[in-house]
Amino acid sequence: MITTKEVKIKRCEDLTSEYIETQLKNMGFDVLRWAITAYDDVFYTLNIAVVED
């Protein structure tokens, strides 16, 4: 089943797609799509589509 979730990852100085994808993988997500929807001084908020059993 494909579902959407909102998650937060820690901000970094040099933002790259590889950084975000690595963080999501380390969180255990099988991500199909992601988008940054908000950010503050500490976190990026992402909306992700994931595959779940």
Side-chain angles (χ1 to χ4, degrees):
M1 176 188 318
I2 299 172
T3 61
T4 60
K5 297 179 182 276
E6 193 169 89
V7 298
K8 291 187 177 190
I9 61 170
K10 194 160 182 96
R11 284 192 64 171
C12 65
E13 217 170 283
D14 185 28
L15 178 64
T16 64
S17 60
E18 289 83 12
Y19 170 76
I20 292 175
E21 290 168 5
T22 299
Q23 295 300 309
L24 293 171
K25 186 174 184 177
N26 290 342
M27 295 169 77
F29 291 117
D30 182 10
V31 178
L32 296 174
R33 169 202 64 73
W34 59 266
I36 298 173
T37 57
Y39 64 92
D40 59 25
D41 292 337
V42 181
F43 294 103
Y44 295 112
T45 302
L46 286 81
N47 182 282
I48 63 173
V50 295
V51 176
E52 294 186 342
D53 294 332

